[in-house]
Each structure stands twice: as structure tokens, then as C-alpha cells.
């Protein structure tokens, strides 16, 4: 499942050809993806100018001149392909010809910028929905999402408050989209390793109780919380610069693979030597909350 860096990479790829342009033609080539398309899906898109293209957690959000918002989720295998008027493919070191099977081209946007934007999704786990801007706060898909990990509000104090009463594991807390939005299994494993924190650590250890004694709402952040927030920032920013991670289905809009997987410190490295300075431990894997967790027992405490 694409995580925040992959979705942000796609957003940046679509922005130059989508933002500020009109959707001249919109096509839904089947009645559904993961969920059925709304009966007025095409009608609410066609002829509308995309005034902005943003991201919330793992969702792409296109603001429309009508006051509606097009909410888009990549699912497990969804990808966008941009075909420009000159039909030139933008390739690079990690170029991969994606989405060639037109049977899986399920949605098309023909933009006034001259570009065709095609959503290709073999497994059909992605979805799109048009929502009135004023109704976003009540939208079930978005309601309850936590802060953006790269937003200004997300800091050690906020994370400590969110975790202060949690007896679950630290990894489970970070995967909870109500605690922080957009993180998934890969980047949680990577951030915990960079912060030298065990995925089994109790989440409440990110917070002290001293804040409560001082009359502060919630405990104060421990050094663990400060290290973890710094690691989350570093991992996500590095992954975005690398175009995300391509383990199976993720491709950039140009067709290029992301290549952050070449920088993994623990994820998918079971049995290999830990690369942390002066560690020399061995990366292990175990199942946690139904997902594979990769960590170094020697340097992650």
C-alpha cells in the first residue's frame, strides 16, 4: 500500500499538468473501483478548473472551482500516467514502462493543459469520490485523521500527548492514523530504527507524567519522543526526494520507479548486518499486528 512519500511523489508529478487547468473531458470507464462511482461523478468534474492539488495523509485532494473536492486514493496497485501533447516519455535511471495494459485504464482526465491523465489500477483497490468542500469535516474517509507528520503542528509534545495513555506497542501507535496520518509499515520500521527505539516499546513511554503534576494537559515529551519525531521527519523527507519506495506496484507519474528502497536500513533486510554506527547487530523480523516488523534487537531498545 503506498504510504505518504509515494502519494506525495504522485502529487508533485501531477501538479504541473493538473493545477490551474480545466478538466475538459472526464471519463469513468467502469462503474466502480473499490467503491461504485457516484452517479454524478463525471458531471461534477467535467468543465471544472483544478484550483489546487493537495494531499491529506494517503489521499490526493484536487480542489475544483465549483467548491467540490476530488478525493483520490491509489489503493494497492493504482498509478497515474501523464501523456503530454508531444507524447514524450520522461525516463530516467529507474524508468519502467507502466500501465501499458489499457484494460486497467479506468479513469481519464483530459486537461486544458494538453495532458491526458490516466488512472490505471489492475487490482481496483483505489477509489475516487467528489465531496463538497464544506462537507469534508464530516467525510467518513477523512474524519478522525491525526496530524500530518511533516506539518508544523506535529512535534514531540503532540506525539507524547497522543501516546501518553496508550499501552499498545509503539509501532502499533504510529500505524494508528488517528495518532499521525500517512505513516505505514515501511516508514514506521525505518523511523524506529533511526531513533534506536524498539517496535515493542510501550507507546506511553514517549510521555512523562511530570506535565500532569505541573497542571499541564498531558505529560511532557521524553527524549525518546524527540528522537522519534526527528527520525520521522528525516525518513519521510529522504523518501520523498527519492520518489518513494518501489517494492511492487508504485511508479511515479513519469513511469520512473521510486528508489528509496535502496536506502532501507532495516525493512526487508532480515538476516543482514545492522548498518548503525558501532552496532554490528543482525536485523530480525517478526509478525506484529499482522504485519512484518523489521528491527535490530541490539541497537533498538
Amino acid at each position: 500500500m503506498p504510504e505518504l512519500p509515494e502519494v506525495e511523489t504522485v502529487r508533485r508529478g501531477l501538479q504541473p499538468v493538473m493545477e490551474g487547468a480545466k478538466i475538459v473531458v472526464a471519463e469513468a470507464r467502469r462503474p466502480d473501483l473499490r467503491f461504485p462511482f457516484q452517479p454524478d461523478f463525471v458531471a461534477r468534474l467535467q468543465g471544472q478548473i483544478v484550483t489546487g492539488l493537495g494531499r491529506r495523509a494517503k489521499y490526493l485532494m484536487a480542489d475544483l472551482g465549483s467548491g467540490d473536492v476530488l478525493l483520490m486514493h491509489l489503493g494497492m496497485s493504482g498509478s497515474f500516467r501523464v501523456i503530454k501533447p508531444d507524447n514524450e516519455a520522461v525516463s530516467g535511471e529507474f524508468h519502467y514502462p507502466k500501465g501499458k495494459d489499457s484494460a486497467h485504464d479506468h479513469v481519464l482526465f483530459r486537461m486544458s493543459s494538453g495532458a491526458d491523465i490516466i488512472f490505471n489500477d489492475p487490482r481496483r483497490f483505489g477509489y475516487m469520490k467528489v465531496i463538497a468542500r464544506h462537507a469534508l469535516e464530516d467525510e467518513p474517509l477523512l474524519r478522525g485523521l491525526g496530524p500530518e507528520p511533516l506539518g508544523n503542528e506535529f512535534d514531540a509534545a503532540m506525539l507524547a500527548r497522543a501516546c501518553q495513555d496508550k499501552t499498545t506497542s509503539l509501532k502499533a501507535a504510529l500505524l494508528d492514523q488517528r495518532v499521525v496520518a500517512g505513516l505505514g509499515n515501511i516508514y514506521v520500521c525505518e523511523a524506529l530504527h533511526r531513533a534506536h527505539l524498539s517496535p515493542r516499546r510501550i507507546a506511553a513511554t514517549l510521555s512523562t507524567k511530570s506535565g500532569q503534576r505541573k497542571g499541564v494537559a498531558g505529560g511532557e515529551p521524553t527524549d525518546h519522543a524527540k528522537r522519534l519525531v526527528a527520525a520521522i521527519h528525516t525518513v519521510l523527507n529522504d523518501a520523498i526526494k527519492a520518489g518513494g519506495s518501489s517494492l511492487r506496484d508504485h511508479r511515479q507519474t513519469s513511469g520512473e520507479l521510486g528508489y528509496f528502497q535502496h536506502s532501507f536500513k532495516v525493512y526487508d533486510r532480515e538476516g543482514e548486518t545492522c548498518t548503525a554506527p558501532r552496532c554490528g547487530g543482525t536485523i530480525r523480523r517478526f509478525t506484529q499486528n499482522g504485519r512484518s516488523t523489521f528491527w535490530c534487537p541490539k541497537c533498538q531498545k
Side-chain angles (χ1 to χ4, degrees):
M1 184 74 73
E3 301 180 25
L4 186 154
E6 288 75 48
V7 178
E8 178 62 21
T9 297
V10 171
R11 187 195 72 81
R12 295 182 185 189
L14 292 176
Q15 189 173 28
V17 296
M18 202 170 191
E19 198 168 79
K22 179 188 291 186
I23 302 175
V24 179
V25 175
E27 293 181 10
R29 296 175 174 175
R30 56 175 297 113
D32 59 5
L33 290 172
R34 183 173 179 180
F35 308 119
F37 287 110
Q38 298 150 295
D40 58 353
F41 177 78
V42 169
R44 291 173 72 175
L45 295 177
Q46 199 152 283
Q48 294 300 318
I49 293 176
V50 178
T51 59
L53 186 63
R55 179 193 52 75
R56 178 70 172 109
K58 301 175 186 179
Y59 293 95
L60 291 167
M61 301 176 67
D63 283 286
L64 306 177
S66 62
D68 283 336
V69 176
L70 172 60
L71 191 72
M72 299 172 279
H73 195 282
L74 298 174
M76 296 181 68
S77 62
S79 63
F80 284 94
R81 184 170 77 252
V82 176
I83 301 176
K84 296 183 179 180
D86 55 14
N87 206 29
E88 285 187 10
V90 181
S91 61
E93 183 179 357
F94 300 97
H95 179 69
Y96 182 90
K98 67 171 184 176
K100 294 300 185 181
D101 188 348
S102 60
H104 302 306
D105 288 348
H106 301 311
V107 181
L108 177 142
F109 304 126
R110 181 155 291 152
M111 310 300 298
S112 62
S113 61
D116 282 357
I117 299 172
I118 300 171
F119 182 67
N120 183 283
D121 189 1
R123 301 186 195 180
R124 299 201 307 273
F125 270 52
Y127 47 91
M128 297 186 187
K129 185 177 182 180
V130 182
I131 308 165
R133 165 58 71 176
H134 65 77
L136 282 179
E137 289 187 4
D138 297 321
E139 170 54 44
L141 294 171
L142 301 175
R143 191 169 55 231
L145 285 176
E148 289 288 320
L150 294 178
N152 293 331
E153 295 181 353
F154 182 70
D155 57 15
M158 174 176 280
L159 183 59
R161 287 194 299 272
C163 293
Q164 64 180 343
D165 296 320
K166 290 189 177 296
T167 57
T168 58
S169 69
L170 186 50
K171 187 188 177 190
L174 293 176
L175 289 176
D176 185 343
Q177 298 299 293
R178 296 167 298 182
V179 173
V180 55
L183 291 181
N185 195 42
I186 292 174
Y187 298 106
V188 168
C189 287
E190 290 296 305
L192 287 172
H193 178 262
R194 284 161 172 76
H196 301 296
L197 297 175
S198 169
R200 290 190 170 105
R201 171 182 283 275
I202 300 300
T205 60
L206 296 185
S207 173
T208 69
K209 299 300 180 183
S210 59
Q212 296 174 349
R213 291 196 299 269
K214 296 175 183 177
V216 179
E220 296 177 342
T222 63
D223 287 341
H224 302 318
K226 296 173 184 177
R227 293 206 315 266
L228 182 54
V229 167
I232 289 171
H233 287 161
T234 299
V235 167
L236 293 180
N237 281 316
D238 286 350
I240 290 169
K241 290 177 184 177
S245 302
S246 293
L247 297 182
R248 187 166 185 175
D249 294 302
H250 171 64
R251 302 288 183 271
Q252 301 181 53
T253 56
S254 63
E256 290 183 83
L257 292 166
Y259 55 94
F260 188 69
Q261 65 273 12
H262 302 296
S263 300
F264 287 166
K265 302 298 185 184
V266 287
Y267 191 84
D268 205 26
R269 295 189 63 240
E270 182 183 10
E272 297 183 29
T273 301
C274 179
T275 59
R278 298 179 298 279
C279 177
T282 301
I283 305 301
R284 302 298 184 194
R285 182 186 70 84
F286 67 97
T287 301
Q288 191 177 26
N289 303 108
R291 307 294 300 275
S292 288
T293 293
F294 298 89
W295 72 308
C296 174
K298 185 175 179 181
C299 69
Q300 289 181 251
K301 304 298 183 183

